[in-house]
Amino acid sequence: MSVPVVTFFNNKGGVGKTSLVYHLAWMFSEIGNRVIAIDLDPQANLTSAFLPERDLERLWDPEIPVASATTIYRCVLPLTEVGDIQEPITTKITSSLFLVPGDLGLASFEDFLSQEWPNSLGTGSLFRAFRVLTALWQVAQMAAKQHEADMILADVGPNLGAINRSALIGTDHVIIPLAADLFSLQGLRNLGPTLRRWREEWRKRVDNWTASSFPLPLGSMRPDGYIVQQHMERLSRPVYAYEKWARRIPGVYASSVLGEPTALDTFDSDPNCLARLKHYRSLIPMAQEARKPVFRLTSADGAIGAHSYAVSEARKQFEAIARAILQRMGQLETAEMDRCP
């Protein structure tokens, strides 16, 4: 039985997606889950959030033998020649949180994914086509099996390319981070139809290989909600520009992603809204310097006075988001949060 994959996806960049994955990976592990975080963005920003530069230099050292599968790209690299997927060598973050590091080299794998997509509808031997197309999912499942993980969190780049298509066909649950602006809404309008198309096209391919010789992902890509991020507040109220675009999110999400009509004009009562995530301002660079999530900052890191209160609030909010996602995944009966806190 495969371990559920949760992918955080938006084809609009700059919405705080990687920071969200980073913080939730920590939070899920802190509330009792064994977590695999996998960096499927060729920019490898999630990996650089977890690891200091000296570790990155070691991971990406071109002198390391190719057989040492220390990054996602090294795991799938043999498929570009005559080999098979390599068992990942994960990086331990804590006793319950493990990372499959990203790699800028992953960008070169995109051509192979594009090539095998039409081949998977062929009539000949389909082993290679499906092995390549599901390679990212296979690596994630291998890592989960190694550590008896409960869940896999995937970070992907902000685009609709072949790498993300392969990441999404291996995804059970999709969480969409958003900013309340015109660009994010336009990205949402593109994303919904793309998810539906990829889901349908993957089902055709699975049906085409009736005698598959290894497990294949279902490609369910179920949208489990959105998180609105990075708004600034005055007197604990979002600024006007934020509210202007935020009112449009429920309708665009319902129509574009779910294919359903809605009359909602606020996400305060939208069941698809998982949270409104505050912008933690000066805590972010402080956390980056300490290489830890904002809710783990201490006085030794400079979190004193008002910062200490903000750290406490961040912990409550990220825990509420994590529990809401677990509820959507069917792993909790109730979520200990208000709608869009």
Side-chain angles (χ1 to χ4, degrees):
M1 185 175 181
S2 63
V3 175
V5 178
V6 184
T7 298
F8 295 76
F9 183 42
N10 192 331
N11 63 308
K12 164 67 174 68
V15 297
K17 172 179 56 61
T18 298
S19 177
L20 180 62
V21 178
Y22 174 77
H23 281 79
L24 285 174
W26 275 96
M27 180 53 71
F28 280 122
S29 68
E30 289 198 3
I31 61 175
N33 300 276
R34 294 183 66 79
V35 180
I36 298 294
I38 184 167
D39 191 350
L40 301 180
D41 183 354
Q43 295 300 310
N45 290 323
L46 180 65
T47 302
S48 62
F50 274 112
L51 304 177
E53 188 170 311
R54 64 179 180 275
D55 290 349
L56 298 178
E57 186 176 7
R58 176 181 55 81
L59 282 173
W60 297 338
D61 185 348
E63 299 301 319
I64 295 177
V66 172
S68 182
T70 53
T71 71
I72 181 63
Y73 178 57
R74 287 176 174 271
C75 291
V76 301
L77 182 59
L79 287 172
T80 65
E81 298 173 350
V82 293
D84 197 7
I85 302 166
Q86 298 252 58
E87 188 89 12
I89 300 173
T90 59
T91 299
K92 180 180 178 180
I93 307 300
T94 71
S95 61
S96 58
L97 174 58
F98 303 87
L99 172 70
V100 178
D103 193 320
L104 276 68
L106 185 62
S108 65
F109 194 57
E110 188 131 26
D111 288 343
F112 294 91
L113 292 168
S114 298
Q115 176 182 319
E116 297 299 344
W117 188 249
N119 290 345
S120 60
L121 282 176
T123 57
S125 175
L126 297 173
F127 182 94
R128 174 174 169 76
F130 279 88
R131 200 65 176 162
V132 170
L133 291 175
T134 65
L136 305 181
W137 179 78
Q138 303 284 353
V139 172
Q141 294 298 322
M142 288 175 180
K145 184 176 180 181
Q146 288 176 13
H147 301 291
E148 299 180 328
D150 301 303
M151 61 194 309
I152 298 163
L153 300 191
D155 186 33
V156 296
N159 61 73
L160 301 177
I163 289 176
N164 281 1
R165 181 176 59 198
S166 280
L168 268 292
I169 64 175
T171 293
D172 303 290
H173 308 273
V174 179
I175 306 296
I176 302 176
L178 295 169
D181 58 33
L182 172 62
F183 301 100
S184 204
L185 281 177
Q186 187 58 39
L188 194 58
R189 292 186 180 100
N190 296 332
L191 187 150
T194 300
L195 286 178
R196 289 195 293 275
R197 186 178 74 251
W198 285 350
R199 190 184 300 119
E200 293 167 2
E201 291 177 349
W202 179 243
R203 176 47 50 195
K204 290 179 182 177
R205 283 159 171 77
V206 171
D207 291 344
N208 185 51
W209 197 23
T210 55
S212 58
S213 55
F214 53 86
L216 300 176
L218 296 176
S220 53
M221 308 181 212
R222 191 181 79 187
D224 276 353
Y226 62 86
I227 297 170
V228 185
Q229 297 200 85
Q230 297 179 334
H231 67 271
M232 305 294 283
E233 295 187 347
R234 296 197 187 104
L235 300 176
S236 299
R237 297 286 298 170
V239 297
Y240 170 76
Y242 172 84
E243 287 285 9
K244 171 187 174 182
W245 296 111
R247 285 196 298 270
R248 304 185 185 183
I249 290 176
V252 174
Y253 181 90
S255 61
S256 297
V257 178
L258 303 180
E260 301 172 353
T262 181
L264 290 172
D265 63 355
T266 173
F267 47 48
D268 288 329
S269 56
D270 185 6
N272 299 307
C273 177
L274 293 167
R276 292 180 297 181
L277 186 58
K278 295 180 181 179
H279 192 298
Y280 285 100
R281 306 177 195 176
S282 57
L283 285 184
I284 298 298
M286 192 182 299
Q288 291 171 339
E289 178 70 22
R291 203 163 295 281
K292 60 174 66 171
V294 293
F295 52 78
R296 287 176 65 96
L297 291 170
T298 67
S299 57
D301 301 312
I304 57 177
H307 281 150
S308 178
Y309 174 77
V311 167
S312 177
E313 288 299 301
R315 174 169 291 278
K316 292 177 184 177
Q317 186 167 44
F318 278 106
E319 181 172 350
I321 295 171
R323 293 189 181 281
I325 292 173
L326 288 173
Q327 183 193 31
R328 298 296 173 93
M329 294 172 65
Q331 296 190 21
L332 282 182
E333 291 185 2
T334 58
E336 298 175 12
M337 63 175 289
D338 295 324
R339 180 66 56 205
C340 244

